[in-house]
Amino acid sequence: MKWAFVVCAMVALSECLVQVPLERGQTARELLEEQGLWEEYKLKYPYNPMAKFDERFAVGTQPTTNDANMAYYGIISIGTPPQNFKVVFDTGSSNLWVPSVYCSSPACNNHAKFDPAASSTYRQDGTPVNIRYGTGSMTGILGYDTVTVGGIAVKNQIFGLSKTEATYMQFMRTDGILGLAYPSISVAGATPLFDNMMKQGLVNEDLFSVYLNAHKGSVVIFGGVDPNHYIAPITWIPLSSERFWQITMDSVSVNGQVVACNGGCQAIVDTGTSLVIGPQSDIDTINRLVGEIGEMTVNCDEIPQMPDVTFHIQGHEFTLPSTAYIRQTKHYGCLTGFDRGGHSEWILGDVFLRHFYSIYSRAQNMVGLAKAR
């Protein structure tokens, strides 16, 4: 299968949209459920969706999160000749890193490993890097090489080569993470890949966009948008913080009644989080109103009668029907896509982003949202 292609409006490279298809593979949770290990796993490695946004976990580094439901990944290559890796395109972090031959952790042994000695364009930096997780960490060193994304080569891109990785990552389909947030939160001051794309003139516009689909056709597009993936208009929302893709949300309503985020709250638009995350009391209220009968569990037969959940942002309504926020599983029945984060901030993850095409403008420091096709 062709895994990367470029759509060109003109012959000039600068007029191209760089597109990387995304696959929705089996999640770590689904794999663990099949093996009967999920209950044990979630106790040993608690899911902390807010970890990568909470400076208390950082100790000078940028945390990322243990997300057993993470499903979307794309393929990039690093080095000359190219070495391929499956990575999460994560708008909630800023570093690019992959496993390396220096790593002997169980999580590295069942994933692709970058070999610097096999690349003629690799240049070592050697700076230690420690990207902390809520339940562990990735430690390693920094290096430089050519990173090819969607057929476009980004030269002298700094990235992390892991030496150790958190235990839970051995269950994940992806090899590493490609961060797409702002440079200010990048560990060790490493320049994010999209910043180098802009500096090297590899994109027509200083923005990228993401289309997520529950089945096939998901894609991240660097340098523009694809009208085939959304229904106009696009609602442009200014950022409230230029670290993450953070916006101000007005409220959340069910059946026309405000039930959460009353008076306004902060929300982070994050492709690297699978669910919609919010404060415990707000999430408990929403789950109760949509028909929760157990922890995030609902009656599958009642999905058609479940209410819409509407997110009010900048005076606009972004509504999720029950078919968008309920997930049917083989082992646990039907689960809502709303989970507790324990903080005041919200995360609008893949449950939200499958329903709304998202655009991330570095030129205007805004997020664009439009109904996905």
Side-chain angles (χ1 to χ4, degrees):
M1 182 179 71
K2 190 174 181 181
W3 58 265
F5 54 92
V6 179
V7 177
C8 297
M10 296 177 63
V11 175
L13 179 63
S14 63
E15 295 296 319
C16 295
L17 300 184
V18 183
Q19 302 204 27
V20 183
L22 302 179
E23 294 291 329
R24 189 173 190 268
Q26 186 181 42
T27 68
R29 174 171 180 159
E30 290 166 344
L31 176 62
L32 288 160
E33 286 176 348
E34 284 184 0
Q35 299 177 6
L37 298 173
W38 172 243
E39 296 299 329
E40 175 186 350
Y41 168 94
K42 72 177 184 180
L43 291 176
K44 289 175 65 177
Y45 307 106
Y47 174 42
N48 186 351
M50 295 303 300
K52 65 179 175 180
F53 307 111
D54 192 334
E55 294 180 358
R56 292 176 297 175
F57 291 92
V59 194
T61 62
Q62 169 57 37
T64 54
T65 186
N66 165 6
D67 189 346
N69 296 304
M70 192 177 289
Y72 292 94
Y73 63 86
I75 299 176
I76 66 170
S77 66
I78 303 176
T80 308
Q83 301 174 45
N84 291 346
F85 299 91
K86 301 182 183 76
V87 297
V88 176
F89 287 80
D90 180 21
T91 59
S93 66
S94 295
N95 288 80
L96 167 62
W97 67 267
V98 295
S100 79
V101 293
Y102 306 133
C103 179
S104 58
S105 299
C108 294
N109 292 336
N110 65 351
H111 286 93
K113 296 184 182 183
F114 179 74
D115 184 357
S119 174
S120 62
T121 47
Y122 177 77
R123 178 166 59 90
Q124 183 165 313
D125 178 280
T127 301
V129 61
N130 183 346
I131 304 179
R132 294 188 58 81
Y133 292 75
T135 56
S137 65
M138 183 287 282
T139 68
I141 60 171
L142 295 176
Y144 292 85
D145 211 328
T146 299
V147 177
T148 302
V149 180
I152 298 299
V154 183
K155 297 181 179 179
N156 297 312
Q157 174 62 45
I158 192 168
F159 67 104
L161 294 79
S162 74
K163 288 187 173 182
T164 67
E165 292 184 19
T167 302
Y168 81 87
M169 292 199 70
Q170 66 185 296
F171 300 105
M172 295 181 68
R173 182 81 180 264
T174 54
D175 302 312
I177 293 177
L178 194 163
L180 292 169
Y182 279 73
S184 60
I185 63 167
S186 180
V187 174
T191 303
L193 181 132
F194 189 63
D195 285 73
N196 276 331
M197 277 189 167
M198 293 187 291
K199 290 176 183 176
Q200 295 176 25
L202 300 176
V203 288
N204 186 41
E205 296 182 76
D206 291 346
L207 59 77
F208 60 93
S209 55
V210 178
Y211 173 71
L212 299 182
N213 189 285
H215 305 289
K216 293 184 178 181
S218 301
V219 66
V220 57
I221 303 170
F222 294 100
V225 300
D226 186 343
N228 293 316
H229 291 320
Y230 67 88
I231 300 170
I234 298 169
T235 299
W236 288 101
I237 306 158
L239 298 186
S240 55
S241 172
E242 293 170 15
R243 299 172 68 244
F244 306 104
W245 294 95
Q246 183 171 324
I247 60 176
T248 299
M249 191 158 65
D250 305 326
S251 63
V252 182
S253 66
V254 176
N255 289 326
Q257 298 296 316
V258 173
V259 299
C261 182
N262 197 353
C265 57
Q266 294 298 297
I268 296 167
V269 184
D270 183 19
T271 59
T273 296
S274 59
L275 307 176
V276 170
I277 309 297
Q280 180 171 337
S281 60
D282 284 353
I283 293 299
D284 286 347
T285 298
I286 292 172
N287 280 337
R288 175 175 54 80
L289 290 173
V290 302
E292 184 182 53
I293 56 177
E295 186 175 355
M296 296 177 66
T297 305
V298 297
N299 187 331
C300 297
D301 294 334
E302 295 181 2
I303 293 176
Q305 287 76 46
M306 291 177 187
D308 294 343
V309 177
T310 299
F311 298 81
H312 302 265
I313 306 172
Q314 292 287 299
H316 296 268
E317 296 183 352
F318 298 89
T319 298
L320 295 182
S322 58
T323 51
Y325 65 74
I326 297 296
R327 180 173 69 94
Q328 299 194 40
T329 72
K330 293 180 181 179
H331 301 274
Y332 288 83
C334 291
L335 303 174
T336 81
F338 307 116
D339 201 1
R340 309 175 186 93
H343 295 274
S344 60
E345 295 86 3
W346 289 68
I347 306 175
L348 301 180
D350 297 344
V351 165
F352 182 87
L353 296 174
R354 276 193 290 270
H355 212 63
F356 298 100
Y357 185 85
S358 55
I359 308 164
Y360 306 81
S361 173
R362 285 289 299 275
Q364 302 296 326
N365 294 317
M366 302 179 92
V367 168
L369 296 173
K371 180 68 182 301
R373 289 186 184 276

